[in-house]
Amino acid sequence: MNFEFATATRIVFGNGAVRQLGQNVKTYGSRALVVTGANPRRAENMLSSLTENGIGSSVFPMTGEPEIVTVENGVAFAKKEQCDFVISIGGGSVIDTGKAIATMMKNEGALLDYLEIIGRGQALKKRGAPFIAIPTTAGTGAEVTRNAVLASPEHKVKVSLRSPMMLPTVAVIDPELTYDLPPALTATTGLDALTQLIEPYVCLRANPMTDSFCVDGIHRAARSLREAVFNGQDESARADMSLASLFGGLALANAGLGAVHGFAGPIGGMFPAPHGAVCAALLPHVMAANIRALRERDPHNFALIRYYRIAAILTDNPHATADAGVEWVQKLVSDLPVPRLGAYGLREEHVADVVAKAANASSMKANPIVLTPEELAQTLRLAL
Ligand SMILES: [Zn+2]
């Protein structure tokens, strides 16, 4: 057994954590670039904590998905404002943008030099500026991952800037920031978190450290996702989902993912579908396809036993079958406000193209069994 585990240098978790931020980041410099979503008001408590501690801030609000040009503009702005470090407060897109900006503040050359697939894929030479990640959703776990997903509209793909040197300096997870997240966004981001706990647990690079995060996280998501969606002010449900998201991030960054995320990359590049919605629509069908393929072609694979364990946790029944776990997820997805992929324009005529691209995605390579093109196509059709 060989594995490696790396994460943010420091993880701070708890209600109100964001109000103490200034104390925690004084050592990183006197001016922060603060990347926010479209509504910078969410950052107010955090900004006043910086001011109280004598730290200046330059706010960089962004909307939609991060594109290469967003990162380039952010780097130029940070340099003009003489920022020493970067804070992102927002969803996964905002965190990924800040992560990429902090990285490119210290690495020379163009962003494209370092991007996989569409760029030259060079390794980063230097650690970026200190980066503090503060999630306001509970799903992506981006506060502890080592890549930033960026969209290239001209190539119609999403690609990653990736390096162990991109792990955030500090991850601050304050569940209170998620209390006013609307039900639909709570549902899709929460189902992304659940996917990011199930896929690393059955994937080819699972290891004992990521396993323990997955088991605990699946348990928390199973008991709290519905409650967080339908009663957003529920303190313990929100804390559970913030932890589930964090644990999913720890697991995926150190183990890998699977076919759901193999599909999510190309679909996210081709259609205006939020990542969480794509994962939600595909999760039960990919679980079913994997279980069927494992039974048919590799019945002694450890992943099959793990699907039984997942089912036991989800259904709270130690004797549950793997299929009962799939049914539980299917019921959860249909009870929550989650659209199917057809709602984003994905049709039968796109299936072959998506399957071809997904088969080569890096996440697909960690799936516990190789799914055939026919199996992938059939799985995708069920999510349309
Ligand atoms: Zn995901």
Side-chain angles (χ1 to χ4, degrees):
M1 180 197 307
N2 297 308
F3 69 89
E4 186 182 321
F5 191 93
T7 190
T9 309
R10 189 169 172 203
I11 296 172
V12 181
F13 183 94
N15 286 341
V18 87
R19 292 195 288 272
Q20 264 90 55
L21 189 81
Q23 281 290 348
N24 282 327
V25 300
K26 269 195 236 176
T27 50
Y28 302 123
S30 57
R31 177 164 285 273
L33 178 80
V34 177
V35 185
T36 71
N39 176 10
R41 281 192 47 220
R42 200 167 249 156
E44 272 169 11
N45 280 338
M46 193 269 290
L47 290 172
S48 44
S49 164
L50 294 181
T51 312
E52 283 158 21
N53 287 278
I55 302 166
S57 51
S58 304
V59 177
F60 183 73
M62 59 166 288
T63 49
E65 308 253 290
E67 296 177 7
I68 291 166
V69 64
T70 321
V71 175
E72 289 169 342
N73 290 341
V75 173
F77 184 60
K79 286 185 175 166
K80 178 170 100 44
E81 298 282 306
Q82 298 185 310
C83 297
D84 306 300
F85 64 107
V86 180
I87 300 172
S88 276
I89 179 164
S93 296
V94 171
I95 291 177
D96 278 5
T97 303
K99 208 185 278 177
I101 292 172
T103 302
M104 292 308 295
M105 280 165 67
K106 299 286 179 187
N107 281 277
E108 274 141 39
L111 179 53
L112 264 178
D113 293 343
Y114 301 103
L115 287 175
E116 58 186 27
I117 302 168
I118 59 168
R120 295 165 67 193
Q122 289 178 6
L124 290 166
K125 292 178 185 72
K126 293 182 192 158
R127 183 168 290 283
F131 174 59
I132 290 89
I134 310 173
T136 57
T137 63
T140 65
E143 66 273 19
V144 289
T145 62
R146 57 187 80 178
N147 67 313
V149 182
L150 307 173
S152 171
E154 60 169 307
H155 299 92
K156 287 199 173 178
V157 286
K158 285 186 178 176
V159 292
S160 270
L161 181 65
R162 188 188 303 275
S163 166
M165 287 191 287
M166 289 173 68
L167 282 166
T169 318
V170 188
V172 179
I173 300 106
D174 184 339
E176 274 180 7
L177 295 174
T178 67
Y179 286 9
D180 59 357
L181 204 63
L185 205 51
T186 303
T188 50
T189 51
L191 285 162
D192 183 26
L194 181 61
T195 309
Q196 294 180 168
L197 290 158
I198 291 177
E199 293 210 297
Y201 188 54
V202 296
C203 86
L204 293 177
R205 298 200 306 272
N207 71 61
M209 277 187 82
T210 56
D211 288 349
S212 56
F213 288 117
C214 292
V215 168
D216 187 276
I218 292 168
H219 183 69
R220 288 177 192 278
R223 76 180 176 199
S224 291
L225 179 50
R226 265 172 219 270
E227 195 60 31
V229 171
F230 295 114
N231 182 11
Q233 299 291 315
D234 186 297
E235 198 174 316
S236 64
R238 288 296 195 182
D240 266 352
M241 290 314 299
S242 288
L243 280 173
S245 173
L246 170 66
F247 291 175
L250 293 171
L252 80 90
N254 290 284
L257 289 159
V260 176
H261 280 81
F263 275 122
I267 293 174
M270 293 163 69
F271 301 92
H275 174 75
V278 177
C279 292
L282 283 160
L283 177 61
H285 306 301
V286 167
M287 289 172 74
N290 277 345
I291 291 166
R292 196 179 318 114
L294 287 163
R295 280 184 180 141
E296 283 172 12
R297 301 198 289 278
D298 195 3
H300 300 297
N301 189 310
F302 79 103
L304 192 53
I305 299 161
R306 293 201 164 190
Y307 275 114
Y308 280 81
R309 285 198 201 137
I310 290 167
I313 301 170
L314 293 174
T315 62
D316 202 17
N317 169 9
H319 307 295
T321 63
D323 308 272
V326 178
E327 280 161 33
W328 189 95
V329 172
Q330 183 69 71
K331 169 100 172 61
L332 175 69
V333 172
S334 60
D335 288 350
L336 298 184
V338 179
R340 296 165 68 88
L341 296 180
Y344 302 103
L346 209 157
R347 311 253 178 276
E348 173 62 35
E349 71 244 39
H350 304 117
V351 167
D353 192 18
V354 171
V355 165
K357 287 179 177 152
N360 290 316
S362 59
S363 292
M364 194 64 85
K365 301 194 168 89
N367 201 56
I369 186 159
V370 177
L371 296 173
T372 65
E374 294 72 36
E375 285 170 336
L376 289 173
Q378 196 47 36
T379 303
L380 182 56
R381 282 189 192 105
L382 292 169
L384 294 184

